[in-house]
Amino acid sequence: MWPYPRILAHRGGGTLAPENTLAALRCGLAYGYRAVEFDVMLASDGVPVVVHDPELGRTVAGSGHINDYTAAQLAAMEAGAWFGAAFVGEGVPAFDAVVAYCKAQRIWMNIEIKPAPGFDVQTGTAVARATRDYFAQEIAAGQLLPLLSSFSIEALQAARQTAPELARGWLVEAIPADWECTAKELGVVAIHCDHRQLTRALALAVKEAGYGLFCYTVNTPERASELLAWGVDGFCTDRIDIIPSMA
């Protein structure tokens, strides 16, 4: 149930570039990573943009919420200076720009649907629809597609209804006791969890039930080796400089 790459660059470039920017994707590629994870939410005009926090201030200069601004306004905001002078001028990229770059460079994508509070259904619908449209030719040809993932059950349900041909992963911190029932109801192909909350027994149970198992965010080679030995299918990392991509 995991036909995807094993090791992904977290938010594009891990800790080596400003997260969720085109610069991060270029950085990840420079380290040999052709598989990435990034976050998508909606701007005020309904356009999907690639950013993690629903509020401005941590990685994007400004105040207020992401969905207070249009995609064009967010693109003009400063999203790189916080990281370093070399990244001044990086804006919040639109989802379509990120997809275009990844497709051009043959980078596989784990697309996390990251709704702003109260916009779960809208975000799940918009991201799934956009992804389906971007990959219409690949869907028709039966080629490997991106994986949609989310912590939001409502977003996953909306994505499934909009584009059932796109596989989905359910994100959790700790795998709950009723995980298998929920996974079946959602129709997901994989469980994504915090590696610090995972045990060998849980990993075995997920794999025996026929699901893919993905972990976030694994930053030491020793832990990466341990998880792979447990049967974990894949993980994302911030330390693209010390964990080889296995591309």
Side-chain angles (χ1 to χ4, degrees):
M1 297 303 295
W2 190 263
Y4 311 114
R6 277 192 150 187
I7 307 179
L8 282 57
H10 187 223
R11 300 180 190 171
T15 54
L16 303 186
E19 65 182 54
N20 286 324
T21 61
L22 292 174
L25 295 175
R26 294 192 293 269
C27 179
L29 186 61
Y31 277 84
Y33 273 77
R34 291 189 182 274
V36 298
E37 178 271 354
F38 55 81
D39 308 282
V40 184
M41 65 178 62
L42 298 184
S44 65
D45 50 0
V47 175
V49 295
V50 175
V51 65
H52 180 273
D53 296 3
E55 305 89 11
L56 280 69
R58 182 177 68 88
T59 65
V60 182
S63 60
H65 298 85
I66 291 294
N67 57 357
D68 292 335
Y69 300 91
T70 66
Q73 289 173 322
L74 292 167
M77 291 181 178
E78 180 57 64
W82 68 274
F83 193 90
F87 299 101
V88 171
E90 285 290 327
V92 176
F95 181 36
D96 60 0
V98 170
V99 171
Y101 182 86
C102 289
K103 290 189 73 171
Q105 299 297 332
R106 303 187 309 279
I107 297 171
W108 181 80
M109 291 162 272
N110 176 1
I111 301 164
E112 181 177 342
I113 304 168
K114 197 85 172 180
F119 289 84
D120 298 67
V121 172
Q122 297 95 314
T123 309
T125 299
V127 174
R129 181 186 297 119
T131 305
R132 180 197 63 201
D133 293 346
Y134 297 148
F135 286 87
Q137 291 185 347
E138 290 82 356
I139 290 170
Q143 296 176 6
L144 186 68
L145 301 171
L147 180 67
L148 303 180
S149 62
S150 188
F151 284 97
S152 168
I153 287 177
E154 289 183 327
L156 288 173
Q157 291 170 330
R160 181 186 191 182
Q161 184 173 4
T162 302
E165 60 269 55
L166 297 175
R168 299 163 306 282
W170 177 33
L171 267 160
V172 296
E173 291 186 6
I175 297 175
D178 63 347
W179 70 269
E180 191 169 0
C181 179
T182 302
K184 287 180 180 177
E185 291 176 353
L186 290 173
V188 297
V189 301
I191 307 298
H192 299 203
C193 71
D194 185 337
H195 76 95
R196 296 169 298 182
Q197 307 290 331
L198 185 67
T199 65
R200 184 190 292 267
L202 265 175
L204 180 61
V206 172
K207 295 307 301 172
E208 286 186 339
Y211 291 91
L213 180 58
F214 183 84
C215 287
Y216 65 88
T217 302
V218 182
N219 289 330
T220 67
E222 296 78 13
R223 181 58 170 163
S225 296
E226 181 178 39
L227 291 168
L228 293 174
W230 287 2
V232 169
D233 293 295
F235 61 86
C236 61
T237 182
D238 287 321
R239 297 305 308 272
I240 63 175
D241 52 333
I242 63 172
I243 297 179
S245 67
M246 297 177 65

